[in-house]
Amino acid sequence: MFCLECGEAIPDGSVTCPKCGAVIKKDIDNSSDEQAVVYASQNVTEQEISQKPPLSKKLPKQVYIGIAAVVGIVVILFIVNAVNKANLKKALVKEWYDTEDSIIKVLDIEDGKMEYRLETGYSWMDMSMGTYDWKPAGKNKIKIKMYQDKYETYTIEFNDDKTSFKISPAITSVDDNEQWYHID
């Protein structure tokens, strides 16, 4: 092999040129100031030695289109989910009543808070049973934090004009579900 700096013959396995001291590299990838080893049997020009291989290949256009499509779908799903939650929240935020017994159960739903209370017709006998945190969890699901710091998921089914809904499981009893009505 020969030194590319001074042209001196270099013994195989040398790290530097014995004449000029230039550093020699064993492969043709020239990523620093080191020389590449050129054997006499190789037909390699100085231009080929000095050219660096490309660091990365360009991705095909279809890959970029695919990535953009996936990102677009994720964004659309996120927006649809946010709209569904907002619509559910808008429909629920009001007072709801269960009038099946002589004592009226009231579910007063506000933004992020839900109060369950009993009303008898006598204000001195009315009683708040509890106030709970709640949040929409989907198109027809809410999460209520009733016990400890754990949210439980409930399913809401509105009637057509959204003046009543059925919630499963029931909030105020051990029943499978219960019906609540909004009275203007």
Side-chain angles (χ1 to χ4, degrees), residues 58-73:
K58 284 190 172 183
L59 293 174
K61 196 179 212 179
Q62 292 85 356
V63 172
Y64 290 116
I65 292 171
I67 291 170
V70 169
V71 169
I73 290 170

Side-chain angles (χ1 to χ4, degrees), residues 89 93 109-114 134 136:
K89 187 175 184 179
V93 173
I109 302 177
E110 297 176 3
D111 190 17
K113 294 285 183 194
M114 174 183 297
W134 78 280

